[in-house]
Amino acid sequence: GQQVMQIPQYQHVQEGEDFTTYCNSSTTLSNIQWYKQRPGGHPVFLIQLVKSGEVKKQKRLTFQFGEAKKNSSLHITATQTTDVGTYFCAGGIQGAQKLVFGQGTRLTINP
Amino acid sequence: DGGITQSPKYLFRKEGQNVTLSCEQNLNHDAMYWYRQDPGQGLRLIYYSQIVNDFQKGDIAEGYSVSREKKESFPLTVTSAQKNPTAFYLCASSPRTLWGEKLFFGSGTQLSVL
């Protein structure tokens, strides 16, 4: 079936270090969304990318959508303790009317 | 406050028992969804509804049932046929069922088996 693979599953960094999580799909995606879930909380929408090669920034967060629309990444520059949580990507499967979530990357930070 | 309200926050189910999770939204969204979250896994779609009195199975609908009698409400019943119900259940909504729209999530219900 259609899958969106997300790596790494866990990442532990020192505060101030950078962090990146990657999503890869075996099929072309119509769009990709990113969500953040704080510990004990619920997913909150961060951003959506639609165009091939698209790059969007939100303060210290940079989101990219691959040229082939099969992969995406989220990069956080100079992590802060408020960045702790699990980051999920969710890909819209072209032609399938479906949104498939990656397994998530859990980010922990040593202050 | 506008948003999605899920209740209860914690729920315990006995063997052979059906339990119902509540989800109410006041965002005037047409589409509502139920997702299941297990540790180390992504969110998996159980059911979704695009309009009142209509709903569609998601990827893991077996052992679950839903209803959509009102636009604001989309309750999920976990039946005794669901043999592994322990999970975190998330309700979500979006203005329409276009998979390019962002999802608004409720705070979730943790279901455990006694």
Side-chain angles (χ1 to χ4, degrees):
Chain A
Q2 297 111 348
Q3 282 191 320
V4 174
M5 304 301 295
Q6 190 173 353
I7 57 170
Q9 189 173 1
Y10 302 97
Q11 184 78 60
H12 180 77
V13 301
Q14 291 289 126
E15 188 175 14
E17 290 182 340
D18 292 357
F19 159 77
T20 305
T21 174
Y22 302 89
C23 274
N24 292 288
S25 170
S26 56
T27 58
T28 302
L29 302 172
S30 56
N31 58 292
I32 193 146
Q33 299 177 353
W34 285 91
Y35 292 82
K36 176 184 178 181
Q37 184 175 22
R38 293 182 184 274
H42 59 276
V44 175
F45 176 83
L46 294 175
I47 207 160
Q48 175 168 266
L49 305 172
V50 178
K51 298 176 184 176
S52 169
E54 190 169 12
V55 178
K56 287 189 176 180
K57 292 190 176 184
Q58 288 180 349
K59 297 183 180 178
R60 294 177 294 104
L61 277 61
T62 301
F63 304 85
Q64 294 189 348
F65 200 9
E67 293 289 342
K69 300 183 76 173
K70 288 186 175 183
N71 57 74
S72 181
S73 65
L74 158 59
H75 179 81
I76 303 178
T77 304
T79 55
Q80 300 175 359
T81 54
T82 53
D83 295 325
V84 163
T86 300
Y87 293 84
F88 291 97
C89 62
I93 306 296
Q94 272 191 352
Q97 291 287 299
K98 199 171 177 176
L99 193 67
V100 178
F101 279 81
Q103 300 94 323
T105 296
R106 183 180 170 192
L107 173 65
T108 54
I109 298 174
N110 204 22
Chain B
D1 271 348
I4 301 178
T5 302
Q6 286 187 245
S7 62
K9 191 172 178 64
Y10 300 96
L11 187 57
F12 297 91
R13 193 191 90 166
K14 295 179 182 178
E15 292 290 336
Q17 187 181 44
N18 293 353
V19 291
T20 297
L21 285 60
S22 171
C23 178
E24 303 276 333
Q25 56 103 354
N26 60 6
L27 300 169
N28 199 34
H29 286 173
D30 285 334
M32 297 187 74
Y33 313 79
W34 275 104
Y35 285 91
R36 171 177 170 142
Q37 185 174 26
D38 293 281
Q41 294 194 37
L43 281 64
R44 293 183 290 167
L45 183 65
I46 305 172
Y47 268 98
Y48 67 99
S49 169
Q50 299 173 285
I51 198 167
V52 173
N53 291 324
D54 185 56
F55 47 83
Q56 308 294 328
K57 292 183 179 180
D59 298 318
I60 55 166
E62 187 174 351
Y64 300 98
S65 66
V66 293
S67 63
R68 186 91 185 273
E69 296 177 2
K70 297 187 301 181
K71 186 175 185 177
E72 306 79 34
S73 178
F74 191 40
L76 173 73
T77 296
V78 184
T79 74
S80 57
Q82 173 49 244
K83 297 307 179 188
N84 184 23
T86 297
F88 189 52
Y89 290 86
L90 287 159
C91 179
S93 72
S94 64
R96 296 163 296 175
T97 314
L98 295 177
W99 300 99
E101 294 200 339
K102 71 178 185 181
L103 300 176
F104 295 78
F105 285 90
S107 55
T109 293
Q110 176 64 51
L111 176 62
S112 303
V113 177
L114 290 177

